[in-house]
Amino acid sequence: MTQTANSQIATSQTELHVVLGAGGAAGSALVRKLLRQGQQTRAVYRKPPVATGSGAEQISADVTNPASVAQAAKGASVVYMAAQPAYTRWPQDFPPMLSAVIEGVATAAARLVMVDNLYSYFPVTGPLREDSVQQPLSKKGEVRLQLAQMLLDAHRQGRLWVAIGRASDFYGPGVHGSAVGAPFFEAVLKGKRPQWVGRTDQPHSFTFIDDYARALILLGQNEDAFGQVWHVPTAEPMSGTDFAHLIAQVAGVAPGALAALRGLPLQILSRFIPIVREMAEIQYMANAPFVIDGSRFAAAFPFTPTEHREAVTQTLRALQANGPAAH
């Protein structure tokens, strides 16, 4: 597997791009962006999809079955792994799922681009870089580190080409299950107090989902991106409070305070509500500055993140047009 620095893989609109997990936030954003670029796109869902007339080929597949993945990826140049198990089932289900995806994509002789986050890093005092210490403080962080090691080992072994794109908390069209997903926006719009786990005054990086999709496509098209982890650049970090105020300002509504969940109240709720228990495990990410450093990506590729005001405007427009967001 020979790689040449700063080389772009020859691409054309006849190449097939396959998105596993096309029904989720990252997957649906990838499908939208690929279609806007005129790329031949196959959207893969867990259940038989409802035809949307979007222009993408739509199929269902079992991403826990290598043969099913290989069939879904047949003829593909690039496969984007945006599928994931239920948030509360990561330790049990994510590693075998990814193992099946690696085997299936390798059988199809396609390149693999992985959707990833920042859970694997140990808290640092400055921005998180690709070479920051990976010593997770949560079970989900341990899972994410294991997945990255599986992918990079497969690349080093020559089984397939792998690139990993890491992002912070998503927001944007189609985003629901995120700290700043649709429920956060809708609470601001209704004059309610959006929930926020941790401190509300610490600078935090937020990733606009359409920017993330655009970045993953760039990784898939550039030979020198493979075999590496990349941090996708974001607009300037903001506190949870400032982000909520920006949404209110753009929407023309009165800003309100956040409903901060931390300390004893969070501990009590986490005993009874599984998803709160999962969020409590990673609250450290909001109790101190949590900022991604995307400078290495920005230096390597032609990429500028969308400013938050414009991205919030697009998100509000999508909420108004489409109603409930994808989970």
Side-chain angles (χ1 to χ4, degrees):
M1 203 182 303
T2 304
Q3 297 189 25
T4 305
N6 298 321
S7 59
Q8 184 169 5
I9 297 169
T11 59
S12 72
Q13 293 181 353
T14 61
E15 284 200 326
L16 176 62
H17 297 252
V18 172
V19 180
L20 304 179
S28 59
L30 276 161
V31 171
R32 289 196 306 271
K33 188 60 67 174
L34 286 164
L35 291 173
R36 286 174 191 161
Q37 293 183 4
Q39 302 290 349
Q40 185 181 353
T41 305
R42 178 182 295 154
V44 182
Y45 301 86
R46 181 170 58 89
K47 297 179 180 179
V50 177
T52 62
S54 65
E57 177 189 358
Q58 296 177 298
I59 66 169
S60 62
D62 179 3
V63 295
T64 67
N65 183 307
S68 184
V69 173
Q71 183 62 32
K74 186 176 181 180
S77 296
V78 185
V79 175
Y80 304 89
M81 173 50 174
Q84 63 179 31
Y87 198 58
T88 56
R89 294 282 306 174
W90 278 17
Q92 301 91 335
D93 296 344
F94 222 154
M97 176 186 287
L98 183 61
S99 180
V101 168
I102 289 172
E103 183 177 343
V105 174
T107 299
R111 306 186 294 273
L112 180 61
V113 177
M114 179 70 180
V115 168
D116 200 4
N117 61 23
L118 305 174
Y119 286 9
S120 65
Y121 294 110
F122 188 80
V124 296
T125 55
L128 287 165
R129 308 183 341 162
E130 290 89 345
D131 59 359
S132 293
V133 175
Q134 295 195 85
Q135 186 178 331
L137 298 183
S138 67
K139 291 179 182 178
K140 288 180 290 300
E142 292 172 356
V143 172
R144 279 296 185 180
L145 180 57
Q146 178 185 356
L147 301 181
Q149 290 171 338
M150 290 170 61
L151 288 161
L152 294 174
D153 284 348
H155 181 93
R156 283 190 288 266
Q157 293 162 6
R159 296 176 62 192
L160 76 171
W161 285 31
V162 172
I164 301 173
R166 288 185 175 153
S168 194
D169 295 279
F170 291 151
Y171 75 97
V175 178
H176 188 98
S178 167
V180 285
F184 188 95
F185 275 73
E186 289 164 355
V188 173
L189 295 177
K190 294 174 182 177
K192 298 181 179 180
R193 299 178 65 190
Q195 289 190 344
W196 179 265
V197 176
R199 290 180 57 174
T200 64
D201 61 346
Q202 296 298 297
H204 200 93
S205 290
F206 301 107
T207 300
F208 182 45
I209 195 71
D210 286 5
D211 283 351
Y212 185 55
R214 179 161 52 97
L216 294 181
I217 295 167
L218 277 172
L219 292 180
Q221 294 174 338
N222 284 274
E223 184 176 331
D224 54 314
F226 288 87
Q228 301 182 62
V229 173
W230 297 89
H231 285 183
V232 174
T234 69
E236 74 282 0
M238 304 179 73
S239 70
T241 294
D242 287 343
F243 191 71
H245 286 181
L246 175 62
I247 296 170
Q249 186 181 69
V250 173
V253 300
L258 300 186
L261 290 174
R262 54 189 301 236
L264 184 59
L266 181 60
Q267 293 177 21
I268 294 172
L269 284 174
S270 68
R271 295 175 185 173
F272 305 103
I273 306 175
I275 192 64
V276 174
R277 184 160 55 249
E278 299 294 328
M279 296 303 296
E281 189 185 44
I282 56 170
Q283 67 171 308
Y284 68 89
M285 296 181 183
N287 286 335
F290 193 74
V291 177
I292 189 171
D293 182 346
S295 59
R296 180 167 163 267
F297 188 105
F301 307 109
F303 185 90
T304 302
T306 307
E307 290 298 324
H308 285 309
R309 179 174 294 275
E310 173 58 27
V312 165
T313 299
Q314 292 183 33
T315 304
L316 291 171
R317 190 180 300 133
L319 280 172
Q320 183 178 21
N322 301 323
H327 289 257

